Amino acid sequence: MSYAPFARLCRGFVSRRVVNSTLARNMASERRHKILVTRRVPQAAIEILKDSKSCDLDHWDSDDPIPRGELLNRVSGVDGLYCLLTEKIDAELLDAAGPQLKVVSTMSVGFDHVSLPEAAKRGIPVGHTPGVLTDATATLTVALLLATQRRLIEAAAEVKNGGWGTWKPLWMCGPTLMGSTVGIVGFGRIGVAVAQRLAPFGVARFLYADVEKKPENVEKMVTPKAEHVDMETLFKEADFVTAHTALTQETAGMFNKGAFSKMKSNAVFVNTSRGGVVNQDDLYEALKTGQIWGAGLDVTVPEPLPLDHPLLTLKNCVVLPHIGSAEESTREAMAVLAAKNLLAGLTGENLPAQAKL
Ligand SMILES: O=C(O)C(=O)CO
């Protein structure tokens, strides 16, 4: 009996299977990806996503945040989510997206709004935008420190409200930056960039506190080089305290009554990181009672801060509306990096900037 016809049949079957599975793989890699962009962002990022030709884009093209219900609805079935720091990316949202979700990319360096454990559980990489906003945020920190210390907002208001009388030796004075000690809490990219910018003002000493020593960042400074100290020493010795910590379980509310009570009565506190690292009730008390001299905040809880919030009644508290990275080229660079992170995640490549899960 000849087996030839049977063998031919088998060969045909095997080769058809190989062709079919290759086709399936190709089709899968060529499949268009459904992506959701949750806000109006710099157009350069949208062009990158469109140019990739592999994405079906759903765009919440508004300056206002997408309502949570709408987000939960529209995220269903997406392969990639491009979001902002205003969206809470938690288990509910990741479940609503579904198991096909391949990547979450936030247009921010901070990712405290993303639940990393939930993303890790699902094997979803999270992209963010470190580096590209360091300069803008450090510059804004210095601007805010100067505005607070030199009472710029209060003084400019006096010009318009009739409070500007004759030149007076004791009017509108603030603590001196020249010869001062600046304490930097969180000596990462932004912390060191702040120190570099403040050095030319004649700061006498820089202190820094961080979970570990950062000699490589100290090296980036000209003199005076920053000294590593514990938090308590920093609070006690600094005339200016600037916060550059990520918001985590460990840092939440760390600038509280205990911290402010250790600071000097002429201390200026500046925060451009996250509002959640400050206990705002304690800060209000410290400012109101003169425990510290003044505060400059670019970040608060909540954002926006309600108009009747006690902090807004204080002349010695300057509040900005979270504009640390608000330079045109910076925002564009953030948007573009977030787009690149998203595209990399969709094709299973390493993200250019991935949060450690
Ligand atoms: O990127 C961030 O984390 C911000 O806070 C906005 O620049």
Side-chain angles (χ1 to χ4, degrees):
M1 178 184 165
S2 165
Y3 290 97
F6 180 64
R8 263 200 310 276
L9 189 71
C10 286
R11 270 203 306 278
F13 180 66
V14 168
S15 60
R16 259 197 310 280
R17 272 191 48 178
V18 170
V19 168
N20 283 349
S21 66
T22 308
L23 251 177
R25 263 203 310 278
N26 286 347
M27 275 167 67
S29 67
E30 281 163 19
R31 187 172 75 77
R32 293 180 67 80
H33 296 113
K34 229 179 122 186
I35 59 173
L36 173 61
V37 177
T38 62
R39 191 75 69 83
R40 181 169 300 146
V41 296
Q43 191 57 24
I46 300 298
E47 296 306 327
I48 288 175
L49 297 175
K50 284 186 177 159
D51 283 353
S52 80
K53 308 251 187 296
S54 65
C55 297
D56 286 329
L57 174 64
D58 181 11
H59 190 188
W60 180 262
D61 191 10
S62 164
D63 284 331
D64 292 319
I66 183 167
R68 179 76 179 177
E70 186 76 21
L71 176 60
L72 289 173
N73 232 350
R74 283 165 79 155
V75 81
S76 167
V78 303
D79 300 294
L81 176 62
Y82 183 120
C83 65
L84 302 193
L85 51 81
T86 40
E87 280 87 51
K88 203 168 169 49
I89 311 301
D90 54 8
E92 180 190 36
L93 186 121
L94 296 172
D95 286 344
Q100 79 300 326
L101 183 64
K102 293 183 183 62
V103 57
V104 170
S105 173
T106 179
M107 187 192 139
S108 58
V109 63
F111 44 78
D112 46 283
H113 55 296
V114 182
S115 169
L116 292 189
E118 292 297 337
K121 237 193 252 172
R122 294 162 177 79
I124 298 170
V126 175
H128 69 138
T129 64
V132 293
L133 46 74
T134 302
D135 290 329
T137 308
T139 300
L140 187 279
T141 305
V142 172
L144 180 53
L145 185 149
L146 296 175
T148 308
Q149 167 243 359
R150 296 302 300 267
R151 304 169 71 164
L152 297 187
I153 311 300
E154 191 188 347
E158 296 286 5
V159 175
K160 291 189 178 171
N161 68 21
W164 182 15
T166 183
W167 190 89
K168 297 186 273 292
L170 302 184
W171 194 57
M172 284 295 156
C173 294
T176 308
L177 182 54
M178 176 93 176
S180 69
T181 296
V182 172
I184 298 175
V185 180
F187 203 57
R189 280 179 297 261
I190 296 175
V192 72
V194 168
Q196 286 168 327
R197 281 161 176 71
L198 284 175
F201 287 94
V203 170
R205 280 178 86 203
F206 286 102
L207 308 177
Y208 78 93
D210 207 316
V211 283
E212 56 190 19
K213 289 189 179 177
K214 299 265 174 77
E216 70 288 0
N217 282 351
V218 174
E219 272 318 298
K220 292 178 188 156
M221 300 179 66
V222 290
T223 50
K225 303 264 192 201
E227 308 156 39
H228 181 258
V229 292
D230 59 43
M231 208 71 82
E232 182 156 344
T233 306
L234 186 145
F235 291 153
K236 282 188 177 150
E237 296 188 10
D239 302 297
F240 297 87
V241 176
T242 68
H244 306 287
T245 51
L247 175 60
T248 62
Q249 276 176 359
E250 290 73 38
T251 63
M254 66 179 283
F255 296 96
N256 55 16
K257 194 179 164 84
F260 297 126
S261 68
K262 293 184 186 85
M263 291 183 196
K264 297 180 179 182
S265 58
N266 72 338
V268 174
F269 171 68
V270 176
N271 182 20
T272 57
S273 59
R274 283 291 182 267
V277 302
V278 177
N279 181 320
Q280 291 179 171
D281 294 340
D282 292 352
L283 175 61
Y284 173 79
E285 276 309 307
L287 290 167
K288 178 92 183 153
T289 59
Q291 187 139 51
I292 66 171
W293 186 86
L297 311 174
D298 182 44
V299 285
T300 58
V301 177
E303 292 179 1
L305 202 60
L307 290 180
D308 61 355
H309 194 282
L311 281 172
L312 297 182
T313 64
L314 299 174
K315 284 192 172 168
N316 57 346
C317 187
V318 175
V319 183
L320 299 179
H322 201 152
I323 54 167
S325 61
E327 283 183 346
E328 287 163 8
S329 62
T330 301
R331 287 285 165 82
E332 182 164 312
M334 291 165 70
V336 165
L337 179 50
K340 290 182 178 168
N341 281 336
L342 189 90
L343 291 179
L346 289 174
T347 52
E349 290 162 37
N350 289 334
L351 313 195
Q354 184 171 335
K356 231 193 197 152
L357 292 180

